[in-house]
Amino acid sequence: MSQSEPGRGSTPLFILSFRQRDELATLAAGAGWQVIAARRAAGAERRFLTSGAAVAVIDARGALDEGREAVSAMGGAIASNGGALIVLVSRGDVGALGAFFDAGATHFLASPFGDTEFLQALRYAARHAERMAGEWRASGPAEPLGWRLDVATRGLLLTPAFARALDIDEQPRAIALWRRIDRSERGAALAALRRLSGTRGATAFAHDLPGLGRVVEHLQYDAKAGRIDALVEPMGSAPEPSSVLRDALIGSRDAGSARRWIDRRLAEPIDRPLSILLIALNRFDMVNAAYGRAAGDGLLRAAFKRVEEVAGGGLVARMGGSEFLVAIEDGAPRVDFVTERIAGELARPFVTGESIAVLGCRIGIAVREPGDTAASLLRRASAALADARASDSATVRTAETGGGEESIEALAVELRHAMDRGEIDILFQPQVSVSTGAIIGVEALARWDHATLGKIGADTLFAAAARADLEIGLSDHIQRIVLQRAASWPAALRGLRLSLNLTAADIARPGFADLFLDRVDASGFPRGRLTVEIVESGLIEDLGVAAGLLAALRSAGLRVAIDDFGTGYSSLAYLKSLPLDYLKIDKKLAQDIVGTVRDRVVVRGVIDMARSLGLVVIAEGVETQKQLDLLAKEGCQIYQGFLCSEAISVDALVALMEKAR
């Protein structure tokens, strides 16, 4: 569908609200939007990027600080991907709007407002996102919006783009344009016109305009010519003057020109490599607040210069806020070298006045794939950057390969038939005791044995399921296969524990504990050898619900593991509130143990914390003996990874067990 018709055909819409009730989500869904809702800021940027939405709403009413933090986290992704971000504020908090716009918001709505106003704001935001995408696809600058008034004759002339936006003639009567301004805001317009005189030649005023949303009209009076010229800037797309100044000071490309450059490169043959690095400065907002805007401008200039020197003549652009883009037209070795150098250069202290500021950065990388557009490539890079920023230790994240948005859409269409045809397979990755070297358990991992694409991993599989609204159906399908297959294991495997992943959708399902236990019992697999895993960065919206479900499963004889700990919002609330037996360290965190002393301290802290809570620690992604030795020294009890084996079939697992005897 076209985004010019928002609300039809289930256009994705991301809503973050800190309120317990979800009237906005219900209202938007009733108007035809496909709502992706969240109640906490942690992971919001990643959820927005994976949702496919171009419009996000952050409800900061009664939660101003949380809302500002969420906008800061998502602002870079909005700017990089040409989206729209609406902030909802209480009437008494309109003074904070400047901070929200600085952080990356493009639109706002102040309460009290009605249902119609909210839905209209969504439509305007969707049009803004579509217009931004259209501008970035264009080869030249966007057409200006504005008008000219001859003071003596009252003759009015609109630019073609402005006339099209308002759906009126290019030479209308002045009253036609006046009537487009809401009665409540005509006073501000009159005051602005009265300010224009021979001694004051320029002024501005802001108001809502149907079809464009909130706009600023910049008026200039030419006394000699006897006319008023007006430039109309939609607040969602018009850059803040300080942003324009910063880009001019830095001398960098902006997001729009970077997108056009990427699109031109993607139009060339696929054998030409292209990697995109999105770089976000750490702690920049704190420095800005502590030392002032002038110091912030100086830091941006210095950071840009360091990045540009490392990039060696490649494309460098400022994407908004404190984020930069680097495009590299070379292979993986060059990308790795440049990435490492940029991280090192930005980790060096900066001088600001008489003070020293240490910033550092996080980097997200995406590599060109067949069928990519600038939008899909940047969205993957943004998602990788979100992963890096959510991590406590990782500076760099690389987006997984396997197709862009178009590929996911195609897979979503095929998925239901694939389930019916039995194309979803299960492999098992061994879990090994660190002290004895014996295989004591396995984790079940889903794979799609695709006829043309080969084996497709779980991340892409569940992304396709989410797009096809089959998450619960796929999870049920996998659980049945895993339990049936494990129940019929040969004697050599019957002493192993089985770990099975539950999704956030499973946890949120009413009555899921009884349903799942019935499924386990029907399969014949013993409850006492089954562990359920929940993803630490999974979207558990209500810890009380999650704790109740897991307590019921645990009291029924199952064990519980928290998976991928250290990749996202590694909250102690999870460890304190959930009934757990195991803590699984994310593979990136486990692999970092061979890095710096600082990396090792972080891993040690996680292991010590887990063991102090009585949890068994499992390290994922262990690939070398050195990693295992250091993890063992810090107190890790179980590991899994390529050092022992990749995920394998039942027959291969039996052979591995026999070889280990």
Side-chain angles (χ1 to χ4, degrees), residues 52-353:
V55 178
V57 176
I58 294 180
D59 189 352
R61 294 174 296 172
L64 203 61
D65 291 339
E66 294 91 336
R68 194 154 39 216
E69 181 181 345
V71 173
S72 295
M74 294 177 59
I78 294 291
S80 296
N81 293 280
L85 197 165
I86 308 173
V87 175
L88 309 181
V89 296
S90 301
R91 183 68 68 181
D93 291 329
V94 292
L97 289 175
F100 279 116
F101 281 117
D102 283 344
T106 62
H107 298 71
F108 80 92
L109 195 60
S111 65
F113 53 80
D115 294 356
T116 301
E117 293 171 283
F118 176 66
L119 294 176
Q120 185 181 48
L122 295 183
R123 288 193 289 272
Y124 288 158
R127 290 173 185 171
H128 163 77
E130 183 179 15
R131 183 167 60 248
M132 293 295 286
E135 287 176 8
W136 277 328
R137 284 194 299 267
S139 58
E143 294 182 72
L145 305 176
W147 50 267
R148 172 175 293 173
L149 176 69
D150 186 301
V151 176
T153 66
R154 301 288 177 175
L156 183 65
L157 178 65
L158 275 58
T159 65
F162 194 40
R164 289 196 302 272
L166 299 182
D167 194 23
I168 58 178
D169 294 334
E170 293 182 20
Q171 293 181 288
R173 295 175 59 195
I175 191 66
L177 187 57
W178 180 255
R179 286 172 177 166
R180 297 299 175 105
I181 302 176
D182 189 85
R183 289 179 182 275
S184 64
E185 296 184 305
R186 290 177 185 173
L190 277 174
L193 291 170
R194 287 168 180 160
R195 287 195 295 270
L196 292 176
S197 67
T199 57
R200 183 165 184 180
T203 188
F205 69 100
H207 65 100
D208 288 325
L209 201 57
L212 291 173
R214 195 73 178 169
V215 301
V216 177
E217 298 208 23
H218 301 273
L219 308 181
Q220 186 168 345
Y221 176 53
D222 186 338
K224 191 172 184 179
R227 72 184 186 214
I228 297 173
D229 291 320
L231 175 66
V232 180
E233 292 188 322
M235 291 181 72
S237 60
E240 184 192 7
S242 63
S243 297
V244 175
L245 177 60
R246 288 185 179 194
D247 287 340
L249 290 170
I250 293 171
S252 66
R253 290 176 180 261
D254 61 11
S257 64
R259 278 177 170 257
R260 292 192 291 272
W261 185 94
I262 294 169
D263 269 329
R264 288 196 296 271
R265 289 301 189 272
L266 292 175
E268 297 173 0
I270 187 62
D271 56 4
R272 183 170 187 171
L274 176 63
S275 295
I276 298 299
L277 281 62
L278 283 182
I279 305 152
L281 297 180
N282 297 338
R283 297 180 289 278
F284 178 76
D285 290 342
M286 296 171 58
V287 173
N288 232 11
Y291 300 106
R293 184 62 63 85
D297 291 341
L299 283 178
L300 284 177
R301 288 196 298 272
F304 179 82
K305 184 176 180 181
R306 292 186 190 182
V307 172
E308 190 175 40
E309 288 175 352
V310 173
L315 172 71
V316 181
R318 177 169 175 261
M319 302 302 285
S322 57
E323 290 190 11
F324 301 101
L325 175 147
V326 173
I328 301 174
E329 298 181 277
D330 208 337
R334 172 68 179 170
V335 173
D336 292 342
F337 173 77
V338 171
T339 301
E340 184 176 349
R341 284 284 311 280
I342 288 174
E345 287 297 313
L346 295 180
R348 290 194 297 110
F350 291 84
V351 177
T352 171

Side-chain angles (χ1 to χ4, degrees), residues 18-61:
F18 303 99
R19 299 172 171 233
Q20 292 300 312
R21 302 178 66 183
D22 57 354
E23 296 95 336
L24 297 179
T26 302
L27 175 61
W33 296 83
Q34 180 187 345
V35 177
I36 300 91
R39 287 188 190 159
R40 58 183 177 85
E45 180 184 15
R46 176 71 182 182
R47 288 194 71 183
F48 167 73
L49 290 166
T50 57
S51 71
V55 178
V57 176
I58 294 180
D59 189 352
R61 294 174 296 172

